[in-house]
Amino acid sequence: MIDIKNIQEIKIIVGDEWVSAGQSVRELHSHDESFHTPVLPDVVVWPHSTEEVSNIVKWAYEKDIPITPWGVGTSLEGNPIPVRNGISIDFQEMNKVLAIRQEDFQVDVQAGVVYKELNKTLGHHGLLFPPDPGAAATIGGMIGNNASGIRTVKYGATKDYVMRLTVVLPGGDVIHAGNRARKSSSGYNLCALFTGSEGTLGIVTEATLRLVGLPVNFMAVRAVFPTVLNATNTVFQVMSSGLSPSAMELLDGKVMEVLNRDRGYSLHEQPTLLMEFNGYSETGLREEMACVEEICQENACSFLDKGIGASERSRLWDMRHLTFESIKRSHTNLLPLIMDVAVPLSRYSEIVTFAREEVKDLVAYVFGHAGDGNVHVVVMDNPEDKGRWARVEEANRKIVLKALELEGTCTGEHGVGIGKRQFLEIEHGESLALMQRIKALLDPKDLMNPGKFFV
Amino acid sequence: MIDIKNIQEIKIIVGDEWVSAGQSVRELHSHDESFHTPVLPDVVVWPHSTEEVSNIVKWAYEKDIPITPWGVGTSLEGNPIPVRNGISIDFQEMNKVLAIRQEDFQVDVQAGVVYKELNKTLGHHGLLFPPDPGAAATIGGMIGNNASGIRTVKYGATKDYVMRLTVVLPGGDVIHAGNRARKSSSGYNLCALFTGSEGTLGIVTEATLRLVGLPVNFMAVRAVFPTVLNATNTVFQVMSSGLSPSAMELLDGKVMEVLNRDRGYSLHEQPTLLMEFNGYSETGLREEMACVEEICQENACSFLDKGIGASERSRLWDMRHLTFESIKRSHTNLLPLIMDVAVPLSRYSEIVTFAREEVKDLVAYVFGHAGDGNVHVVVMDNPEDKGRWARVEEANRKIVLKALELEGTCTGEHGVGIGKRQFLEIEHGESLALMQRIKALLDPKDLMNPGKFFV
């Protein structure tokens, strides 16, 4: 427990106005967007530099005070909940784009930069940071969770874009991992070790991100199918055809219903694939379109809406990005449990069918990044109703176990946090012991985002 | 030192015929393709399974005997030289393709599979494992060194294709890291930790590799420029244009000279870019071609040879893949030191100019993966002539230090091995201490490929 004397000492590090133990501030930092039980931090700190973070961590580590980093709280597995209280380090003030290196296709950022804001800025330079998880996530949070999203089928996840990291290690030492070259075989890949480690091994304060050039031309397709199996077959055939989709999203009929009801659309309320392709040549895209149409028709596609150009693309993604908001707005008295498993592509229809069966008597919506084999099931229910919520959690457990049986993963993109800890042993077997040894090596006092990853 | 009793014990593990302490076998396993001083292993072992590797490692670890894995010996920094003798584990017998999972875009292989053979097999299924280092490397060696090559500008390095690894840890325990899903945020990224670790943390025995669909159409361009700067400017402009080159190689005038002399070509003996683009639509590629031509012309291109189709592409890469062999054949009495640094793209012309100046009084050839900022300088000289060789090594040292000053890396793709150990502290600073702690955690006896990575 942090007392007033402690708070005075933290104020010396970061300045009076950047420390708060006020109730509303602590409440804001007690939860993310998941149903996991909120826990109040003792104090919230807003550092402005790596040096300040280092000094906070050094001070806290000496005093055995837990430290949990905080981006903006949009995570979905309880990842930034300070379950053992202590300090919540909020990166809101470390939100500077430090350097845009156009000729290198790189950007240097502080961890608190929101990726959507970053991409607005980068767009003026013809550049793009591709991972796109949808929420208002910060770069630090995305690195912590190895976030991905709708463009991952073509561009990969956050891990594929981390070139350099500044990390404050447990105890306060600062390291710089990686370099600015586009490739390297020099030493152990520490950037990859920290990416996805959710602050349990250290705190990322700055990053150099690899960028791509903004795509020139776009093609957008919305294809409606009688069954989920038709849709997932289409996914496989498109990916085998030599085409390179930049997004390939599945929404089930119930999701389309909610979008119609909440947003006034008139969409077909059947399994739907949203696909995007990009490329240099519009003529080339038209040829690709013909191939996509043919594959869709072979799979009993009942309706196909297609278009070429940036506005067609925006229309498609407005719809997709509204999904979660529309679902929440349709059930204002309920909270979501968002399942997030991924399986090999050949097992995608199996996991989707299994999941739909498991949640058929719940208020549930199925969608996902089909091109990655990643499925989300949003169940809306009331965590206060222990009996009902146990049923929701049991469905989640069964779906995760099925995904693991299919040689997949318990989390495609939301991270482990609190919600997936129970599955790591089943997923990783003997590897989990090695992860625990690495954790103990770096954080022997178990003070860095404690209560996450490991049961 | 291993004695006859030891050899008997190893024979019990793998069978009589799969152990040899014969002089010629030991000599074969004493060196790679670099100039580094050969060191004989005491014994060479050819295991057939992960279990046998595990038993060898367990046995050796108990007896404090060093273990060095061996692919096929094509590495260039002394990576598989058993500098402290002991056991050389040759993976030649673990060369099975275990399963091709076409619908998942995956293949399961043993570590001794040669990637070129693998790609021949995969081609029948419309699949490709993109990393292409050129030599007859094994998958195990490529994972150990995080190998890359000519396609990395579009497709990434080996690390980007490792989904699952079976690893024998120091002491003999076996772990399975990763899963079969195309994306995951579950636990620490152990696959990334082992990839590029050159057998210093454990031995990779099997891998699941991510694949891509075989490209459908190709466009190949050979463009000749009056200066290296014209060529490197072209690289940057092509990469900024919205085009996505699948290869972008620079060869200097001297390399073209050697190719003409050795192979009877009639190529322009000036800085040359070899570029490949691939895509679904031939029409689309023709539009891309027009854009590439325009950029080349803006940069004073004096000759441009272009073509669309698989045969045009083969013609281009036959030329490129012959480069190193032609250089070696032109100087049969000399050995190569092959420099391998990478820098941010904006510094590429600077490092190439610097390198050319440093080696101007040596027998030297400059080429590289320009789209990655990776440059190779091959110097042919005589390591026996200590004075001359010191001059060669000094040039290498200066070029590496320049690359690090430019925020690059001491090795773009050949790994650390023996040759780059001296630079890790300068490149990684405080991060090197963390690498050493990880090494000590996993391999406390320092028996796994000892004498590599760390000075």
Side-chain angles (χ1 to χ4, degrees), chain A residues 223-386:
Chain A
V224 181
F225 297 90
T227 70
V228 166
L229 187 61
N230 292 135
T232 56
N233 281 344
T234 302
V235 168
F236 171 67
Q237 287 175 28
V238 167
M239 294 189 64
S240 304
S241 63
L243 299 169
S244 178
S246 44
M248 182 153 274
E249 298 284 300
L250 174 71
L251 307 174
D252 81 349
K254 277 194 175 171
V255 174
M256 307 319 281
E257 275 175 48
V258 134
L259 285 170
N260 284 342
R261 202 164 57 232
D262 185 58
R263 306 280 172 169
Y265 287 132
S266 308
L267 303 165
H268 299 70
E269 297 181 351
Q270 283 179 286
T272 300
L273 279 184
L274 306 183
M275 294 179 267
E276 179 192 296
F277 300 79
N278 61 37
Y280 178 78
S281 150
E282 190 176 319
T283 322
L285 284 175
R286 289 197 191 283
E287 279 187 33
E288 297 189 23
M289 173 90 80
C291 174
V292 173
E293 270 196 84
E294 196 176 310
I295 293 170
C296 288
Q297 278 156 11
E298 278 168 19
N299 288 288
C301 174
S302 61
F303 177 84
L304 194 136
D305 181 20
K306 59 185 183 177
I308 285 188
S311 62
E312 291 291 326
R313 176 194 184 223
S314 303
R315 199 161 59 94
L316 197 74
W317 299 122
D318 283 350
M319 188 191 305
R320 172 65 181 83
H321 280 320
L322 296 173
T323 305
F324 186 41
E325 282 310 306
S326 287
I327 292 171
K328 283 194 291 188
R329 293 210 313 207
S330 299
H331 308 280
T332 45
N333 53 336
L334 302 177
L335 279 180
L337 186 151
I338 306 176
M339 305 175 190
D340 163 46
V341 296
V343 296
L345 272 189
S346 64
R347 318 310 289 269
Y348 195 61
S349 70
E350 193 171 345
I351 192 72
V352 170
T353 305
F354 183 91
R356 283 159 57 100
E357 182 64 23
E358 275 306 309
V359 299
K360 69 180 176 194
D361 57 341
L362 299 168
V363 179
Y365 302 89
V366 177
F367 55 94
H369 311 301
D372 303 318
N374 187 195
V375 62
H376 296 307
V377 183
V378 178
V379 178
M380 301 299 302
D381 217 307
N382 178 11
E384 305 290 311
D385 182 336
K386 300 297 173 196

Side-chain angles (χ1 to χ4, degrees), chain A residues 101-106 126 145-150 152-153 157 159-160 164 169 174-190 192-198 200-201 210 213-216 236 239-243 279-285 287-288 291 340 342-347 369 371-374 376 406-416 424 427-428 430-432 434-439 441-444 453-454, chain B residues 101-106 126 145-150 152-153 157 159-160 164 169 174-190 192-198 200-201 210 213-216 236 239-243 279-285 287-288 291 340 342-347 369 371-374 376 406-416 424 427-428 430-432 434-439 441-444 453-454:
Chain A
R101 297 168 190 270
Q102 190 168 8
E103 295 209 344
D104 293 328
F105 298 86
Q106 289 173 23
N145 286 354
N146 182 30
S148 43
I150 60 169
T152 296
V153 62
K159 72 179 168 59
D160 301 307
R164 279 203 327 184
L169 296 180
V174 177
I175 63 167
H176 303 273
N179 60 67
R180 284 196 190 284
R182 290 170 72 89
K183 61 198 271 193
S184 177
S185 288
S186 175
Y188 303 144
N189 191 343
L190 297 181
L193 182 63
F194 287 104
T195 302
S197 69
E198 299 183 20
T200 62
L201 299 177
R210 192 166 75 83
L214 268 185
V216 177
F236 171 67
M239 294 189 64
S240 304
S241 63
L243 299 169
Y280 178 78
S281 150
E282 190 176 319
T283 322
L285 284 175
E287 279 187 33
E288 297 189 23
C291 174
D340 163 46
V343 296
L345 272 189
S346 64
R347 318 310 289 269
H369 311 301
D372 303 318
N374 187 195
H376 296 307
L406 299 175
E407 302 185 275
T409 180
C410 70
T411 166
E413 55 182 11
H414 295 168
V416 177
L424 287 206
E427 178 167 341
H428 297 290
E430 319 81 349
S431 288
L432 183 62
L434 179 54
M435 293 182 199
Q436 286 167 320
R437 289 168 65 199
I438 291 171
K439 168 73 173 173
L441 175 75
L442 269 82
D443 182 20
F453 258 62
F454 306 109
Chain B
R101 299 169 188 272
Q102 189 168 8
E103 294 207 345
D104 294 327
F105 298 85
Q106 289 173 23
N145 286 352
N146 183 29
S148 44
I150 61 170
T152 296
V153 61
K159 71 179 169 58
D160 301 309
R164 279 204 326 185
L169 296 180
V174 177
I175 63 167
H176 302 273
N179 60 66
R180 284 197 190 284
R182 291 171 70 89
K183 63 198 269 193
S184 176
S185 289
S186 174
Y188 303 144
N189 191 343
L190 297 181
L193 181 62
F194 287 105
T195 302
S197 69
E198 300 183 19
T200 62
L201 299 178
R210 192 166 74 83
L214 268 185
V216 177
F236 171 67
M239 296 189 64
S240 304
S241 63
L243 298 169
Y280 177 78
S281 151
E282 191 178 318
T283 323
L285 284 176
E287 278 187 35
E288 297 189 23
C291 174
D340 163 46
V343 296
L345 273 189
S346 64
R347 316 312 288 266
H369 311 302
D372 304 318
N374 187 194
H376 297 308
L406 299 175
E407 301 185 277
T409 179
C410 69
T411 166
E413 56 182 9
H414 295 168
V416 177
L424 287 206
E427 178 168 340
H428 297 290
E430 318 82 351
S431 288
L432 183 62
L434 179 54
M435 294 183 199
Q436 286 168 321
R437 288 168 66 198
I438 292 171
K439 168 73 173 173
L441 175 76
L442 270 82
D443 182 20
F453 257 64
F454 307 109

